[in-house]
Amino acid sequence: MGRGEIDPLKPKVIISAQLRDEVKEALRRLLNDVADVRFLTNWSSRDSLEEVMEAEALIALHEYVDESLLRHASKLKVVSRFGVGYDRIDVKACTKRGIYVTYTPNVLSNAVAELTFALMLCLSRRIMESDKYVRTKWAKAGRCAFPLREDLAGKTLGIIGLGRIGTEVARRAKAFRMRIIYYDKIRRLNTEKDLGVEHVSLDELLRTSDFVSIHVPLTPETTSLIGEEELKKMKRTAYIINTSRGPVIDEDALCRALEERWIAGAGLDVFTKEPLPLDSPLIKMKNVVLTPHMGTHTVETRHLMMSTVAEDVRRALTGKTPLNLVPEQKDVFPLKRKEGI
Ligand code: GLV
């Protein structure tokens, strides 16, 4: 049977066409024996709905999976999010319909923590400007007249959200000999003991940190968690790093904070609107380092994410409970011993 033809006996799997070609093709290869795999853009468009109606699995990148889509997806068994944040998936609506929701929480923390550190180092050592300096000024200057910058060692890192990624950031900060404080609604006593991190209020974290790094999921509670009031509490010499979700920071307030120097700078991988529009004030600012939502974009991590997603979709299609259900579903669909995990 050719690639374009549909095998009526195989379950249909729809993969986000927004994923890179090599990822889509690898997922297709991993699932080909149990499923008919299709790539689809704009899932909720009229043209796509016919395919969604036939799908037993959806592999989502940034798509919204909500009531209006689920209404058409009567055969759906699993929605698998290629990533850790599932703020665009209506888990309650899926659960009500008996649809599994899976994600990839255990395989991407190193990659995101490394990017967080890359942003911190770019800010503290002005790597972007230094690179430009070498290309344009150093030879003419005859010696390095580039201004002195700052150590990370001895500085205070305030981590907002000490989950998996926040903990990996703390591990790296410890190696960099930073003082680490954190704010989280849950006390992480083991991590406190293992890594010597200290739990503080959000207020104290903002007032005392030299670097503030955000690692919380996007929920109604964390939307605009950092706004004007919070930014004004930060030291004028402090930096804020966001590799979680754009809307956790009120971006208008952040732009004012950066323009008016309430804080020293920002390292941002995520934005309220993505791709970041070219007319965003952030684009022209010198005290920010910007990356294109690429926290998990390493070869190793993407491979692990692919195999995690493929395995969970395969399990759902073959009558087994997926291994990486979102926390809200863990008690709803408990793993059965006989499933041989
Ligand atoms: C990336 O944004 C993810 O949710 O993994």
Side-chain angles (χ1 to χ4, degrees):
M1 179 161 298
R3 194 186 255 188
E5 297 166 48
I6 292 200
D7 180 343
L9 298 176
K10 274 188 180 173
K12 313 286 172 288
V13 173
I14 291 177
I15 299 184
S16 166
Q18 292 182 42
L19 280 160
R20 283 163 194 262
D21 288 347
E22 65 268 25
V23 174
K24 285 185 299 204
E25 285 304 339
L27 281 169
R28 193 206 295 268
R29 271 196 309 277
L30 287 167
L31 288 166
N32 223 7
D33 60 323
V34 284
D36 219 318
V37 176
R38 303 263 138 176
F39 307 143
L40 206 64
T41 20
N42 200 1
W43 294 1
S44 46
S45 77
R46 210 171 264 279
D47 294 346
S48 303
L49 286 179
E50 218 167 284
E51 302 238 30
V52 170
M53 275 162 69
E54 292 302 313
E56 291 191 30
L58 297 176
I59 298 180
L61 184 61
H62 297 306
E63 290 78 3
Y64 285 91
V65 178
D66 52 17
E67 278 288 356
S68 61
L69 188 79
L70 293 169
R71 208 176 299 136
H72 300 279
S74 57
K75 296 190 178 166
L76 201 58
K77 293 195 168 99
V78 60
V79 177
S80 196
R81 159 87 180 107
F82 195 88
V84 68
Y86 51 94
D87 42 280
R88 294 188 171 184
I89 297 174
D90 185 339
V91 175
K92 254 196 197 146
C94 288
T95 309
K96 201 173 70 190
R97 291 175 158 82
I99 298 167
Y100 298 125
V101 180
T102 75
Y103 66 152
T104 62
N106 297 319
V107 294
L108 47 69
S109 305
N110 284 329
V112 181
E114 285 179 13
L115 181 69
T116 303
F117 257 80
L119 292 171
M120 280 169 57
L121 287 164
C122 276
L123 289 164
S124 68
R125 301 302 293 266
R126 296 285 197 276
I127 301 293
M128 320 301 283
E129 288 164 64
S130 310
D131 176 273
K132 199 162 157 201
Y133 179 79
V134 173
R135 292 170 200 266
T136 57
K137 295 203 177 127
W138 192 25
K140 282 183 224 150
R143 65 191 176 89
C144 179
F146 198 66
L148 292 179
R149 295 303 177 192
E150 302 147 55
D151 286 344
L152 291 189
K155 296 285 179 352
T156 299
L157 169 65
I159 299 177
I160 302 181
L162 198 66
R164 292 180 194 83
I165 297 172
T167 302
E168 285 308 319
V169 171
R171 244 185 254 294
R172 283 153 182 79
K174 188 175 155 73
F176 271 80
R177 310 211 182 294
M178 299 182 82
R179 174 178 170 244
I180 311 157
I181 56 179
Y182 80 102
Y183 166 72
D184 195 314
K185 56 182 185 181
I186 304 168
R187 272 301 279 276
R188 313 280 183 171
L189 294 173
N190 287 342
T191 318
E192 286 181 30
K193 208 160 103 217
D194 291 352
L195 298 179
V197 303
E198 188 191 334
H199 183 265
V200 295
S201 66
L202 181 57
D203 185 78
E204 185 178 342
L205 182 143
L206 293 166
R207 288 184 195 285
T208 58
S209 296
D210 299 300
F211 292 84
V212 171
S213 191
I214 305 177
H215 302 286
V216 290
L218 180 64
T219 64
E221 224 182 324
T222 62
T223 301
S224 295
L225 178 69
I226 304 299
E228 175 170 337
E229 197 185 322
E230 289 71 26
L231 290 161
K232 282 194 165 151
K233 286 181 185 170
M234 288 175 62
K235 295 187 196 178
R236 292 177 75 90
T237 50
Y239 299 97
I240 193 160
I241 321 291
N242 191 8
T243 53
S244 64
R245 282 291 183 270
V248 175
I249 304 184
D250 171 346
E251 209 166 272
D252 291 338
L254 178 64
C255 287
R256 284 202 304 284
L258 291 163
E259 268 158 7
E260 296 169 18
R261 303 286 170 153
W262 312 343
I263 61 173
L268 305 171
D269 184 48
V270 289
F271 307 89
T272 303
K273 185 165 190 295
E274 295 177 3
L276 181 66
L278 286 174
D279 61 359
S280 160
L282 291 168
I283 296 274
K284 294 220 167 89
M285 289 183 194
K286 290 219 171 95
N287 51 345
V288 297
V289 179
L290 309 170
T291 51
H293 199 150
M294 58 172 216
T296 62
H297 290 203
T298 66
V299 174
E300 297 82 355
T301 294
R302 288 267 146 166
H303 270 109
L304 291 167
M305 290 167 77
M306 276 186 296
S307 43
T308 305
V309 162
E311 173 64 8
D312 274 339
V313 168
R314 174 182 295 275
R315 289 181 70 94
L317 297 181
T318 53
K320 292 180 183 164
T321 310
L323 301 179
N324 297 282
L325 291 174
V326 294
E328 294 88 328
Q329 287 197 341
K330 289 235 163 89
D331 295 331
V332 184
F333 303 116
L335 272 171
K336 296 177 205 97
R337 283 235 162 271
K338 68 174 171 32
E339 284 176 0
I341 48 173

